[in-house]
Amino acid sequence: MKIIKLTEDTKNNILNDLLKRSPSNYGSYEAKVAEIIENVKEKGDEAVFAYTEQFDRFSQNAENIRVTKAEIEDAYNSVDPGLIEVYRKSAENIRTFHAKQLRNSWMDMKPDGSILGQRMTPISKAGVYVPGGKAAYPSSVLMNIIPAKVAGVEKIIMTTPCNNEGKVNPSTLVAADIAGADLIFKVGGAQAIAAMAFGTASIPKVDKITGPGNIFVALAKKAVYGHVSIDSVAGPSEILVLADETANPRYVAADLLSQAEHDELASAILITTSEKLAEQVNAEVEGFLEKLSRREIISKSLENYGYILVAETLSDAVDAANEIASEHLEILMKNPFEVMTKIKNAGAIFLGEYSSEPLGDYFAGPNHILPTNGTAKFFSPLNVDDFMKKTSIISYSEEALEKVHKDIEAFAKSEGLTAHANSIAVRFERS
């Protein structure tokens, strides 16, 4: 990894490099994605079936597009029972954590008869996209579906690619069943996003689409936003570790590599106040690379977006971390909880040497669908609120409105909206 002294210039250069990874910078794919979306919008199932045959080499029709109960039963028989039990434990942790996020409706009634409140209701249909290509991610299935179930969403529709025999990864199906998916369709890519956004004869239109995917999926979600809601346009994975001289260099190196193995665009950054630790971590990284199975991907990722930054002070290190606003932030320092109070921007924060990032990916309970590419400055992890709608409640009595009607009329007239003012004034006309 590159060991660099942390300065304002190096920080800005790194930020510019990281931003190049954003899906918003892949305009060359947008025309193809737009074509797929328009085709699905116009032709529905016909287009979906054609794209499935083109991209997944599976001859799809209305009879085989949906995953059956028998296929789910076969999936349970194909997955190790011990692993299924792990999925169930993870699901329970995720459910317990997200249940604490639920918010109640409320009403505030005053003696003059005015009532103000907020009503919380779940969306009706949620759409979940699950990648299927080179790897299966049952953890993402759990993280997407369970918050929607906790919120009370009536129907959860999941789409995921199949192979050329029309089969879906069994681990994905088991996780979907444990989490509570209502309908599962064998459709991937931008065509799946379009189908959920606009609806087809087979696939219902949803209110919101969540879930990770490749650049085509990310751009498709961006394109249909407004027709439906989305969670975010996710970029490549990233980790930032804040560490001092007390950190175990072997742990730090292992944690950096846990994200670098995702793909060549993943980012792994260490910011430390210790030059000695920087050198030790670099050596440990080299050692791990010799025995890790995805070493080629990791090496490319580290070559492009792997940095070890040596900061003069803890304050400089924290400032840089807040500017980078990483998806995952680990604090491996003498006083991690104290340092945490200075962090303003991060998707998820992991404190202490036994809180490795994969703990959050798979098991702890907080959602692992997190803001990337610096968007932690204004976005949050996927949560129950993402599947809820807030409706304002307003009720005034005659007494309550009479006390303020002249103020409202004056406000409306100041904006030139006399019909607004009249709507209030007519209620107090005196014959």
Side-chain angles (χ1 to χ4, degrees), residues 66-79 84 158 168-178 180-184 186:
R66 181 177 163 186
V67 172
T68 65
K69 289 184 179 179
E71 287 175 293
I72 293 173
E73 289 173 6
D74 287 344
Y76 272 98
N77 293 328
S78 301
V79 180
I84 293 173
M158 187 178 107
V168 174
N169 184 283
S171 293
T172 297
L173 292 184
V174 169
D177 187 65
I178 290 171
D182 296 295
L183 298 170
I184 305 172
K186 305 171 185 178

Side-chain angles (χ1 to χ4, degrees), residues 99-164:
K100 296 180 186 297
Q101 297 176 339
L102 274 170
R103 291 197 275 173
N104 296 321
S105 300
W106 56 269
M107 290 282 191
D108 183 15
M109 291 171 276
K110 296 182 179 179
D112 64 6
S114 63
I115 301 172
L116 299 176
Q118 181 173 269
R119 187 180 175 207
M120 304 290 294
T121 53
I123 63 175
S124 296
K125 294 187 182 77
V128 174
Y129 184 84
V130 178
K134 297 177 181 177
Y137 298 103
S139 58
S140 287
V141 176
L142 300 178
M143 293 289 182
N144 275 277
I145 295 176
I146 291 174
K149 293 294 287 187
V150 170
V153 174
E154 294 173 19
K155 185 152 287 189
I156 299 171
I157 290 91
M158 187 178 107
T159 60
T160 189
C162 61
N163 64 16
N164 58 11

Side-chain angles (χ1 to χ4, degrees), residues 339-394:
V339 175
M340 178 194 68
T341 64
K342 299 178 174 65
I343 297 298
K344 299 176 182 177
N345 307 316
I349 301 174
F350 300 78
L351 301 170
E353 64 181 8
Y354 292 101
S355 303
S356 175
E357 187 279 333
L359 173 66
D361 274 352
Y362 296 111
F363 205 76
N367 212 287
H368 79 194
I369 299 168
L370 304 167
T372 58
N373 278 105
T375 59
K377 292 177 180 177
F378 45 84
F379 279 148
S380 303
L382 189 70
N383 60 82
V384 169
D385 274 357
D386 283 305
F387 301 97
M388 303 290 288
K389 298 180 280 93
K390 304 174 187 71
T391 304
S392 300
I393 307 295
I394 302 168

Side-chain angles (χ1 to χ4, degrees), residues 190-405:
Q191 60 272 25
I193 302 301
M196 289 191 285
F198 300 106
T200 73
S202 297
I203 301 174
K205 181 187 187 310
V206 302
D207 302 309
K208 181 161 190 166
I209 299 173
T210 68
N214 62 17
I215 187 62
F216 290 95
V217 170
L219 289 175
K221 286 171 69 177
K222 180 181 176 184
V224 301
Y225 178 65
H227 299 283
V228 293
S229 180
I230 63 171
D231 50 352
S232 64
V233 180
S237 188
E238 54 199 33
I239 185 171
L240 190 152
V241 178
L242 278 177
D244 61 16
E245 71 283 353
T246 66
N248 184 318
R250 191 165 177 80
Y251 296 172
V252 174
D255 294 354
L256 291 170
L257 298 181
S258 73
Q259 294 308 291
E261 77 169 339
H262 272 292
D263 59 55
E264 291 86 350
L265 293 175
S267 166
I269 299 172
L270 165 63
I271 303 179
T272 180
T273 51
S274 168
E275 290 187 19
K276 181 180 179 182
L277 181 75
E279 297 290 350
Q280 290 173 325
V281 169
N282 198 35
E284 292 287 354
V285 165
E286 294 301 321
F288 279 128
L289 274 176
E290 293 179 6
K291 53 187 179 183
L292 292 172
S293 61
R294 293 168 69 89
R295 67 180 65 87
E296 289 185 15
I297 292 174
I298 295 172
S299 295
K300 195 69 176 175
S301 168
L302 296 181
E303 179 185 335
N304 292 329
Y305 303 107
Y307 302 93
I308 297 176
L309 303 175
V310 180
E312 287 285 340
T313 66
L314 174 59
S315 178
D316 290 341
V318 168
D319 286 348
N322 279 325
E323 280 296 306
I324 293 169
S326 186
E327 177 188 18
H328 307 100
L329 172 65
E330 287 189 7
I331 303 177
L332 302 179
M333 291 185 156
K334 186 177 181 181
N335 298 305
F337 284 88
E338 180 183 334
V339 175
M340 178 194 68
T341 64
K342 299 178 174 65
I343 297 298
K344 299 176 182 177
N345 307 316
I349 301 174
F350 300 78
L351 301 170
E353 64 181 8
Y354 292 101
S355 303
S356 175
E357 187 279 333
L359 173 66
D361 274 352
Y362 296 111
F363 205 76
N367 212 287
H368 79 194
I369 299 168
L370 304 167
T372 58
N373 278 105
T375 59
K377 292 177 180 177
F378 45 84
F379 279 148
S380 303
L382 189 70
N383 60 82
V384 169
D385 274 357
D386 283 305
F387 301 97
M388 303 290 288
K389 298 180 280 93
K390 304 174 187 71
T391 304
S392 300
I393 307 295
I394 302 168
S395 176
Y396 267 47
S397 65
E398 180 181 0
E399 176 191 351
L401 185 60
E402 186 170 21
K403 289 191 292 188
V404 298
H405 78 94

Side-chain angles (χ1 to χ4, degrees), residues 32-45:
K32 180 61 178 175
V33 169
E35 178 188 328
I36 292 172
I37 291 171
E38 192 60 31
N39 203 11
V40 172
K41 184 178 178 182
E42 289 183 5
K43 299 179 180 177
D45 274 354

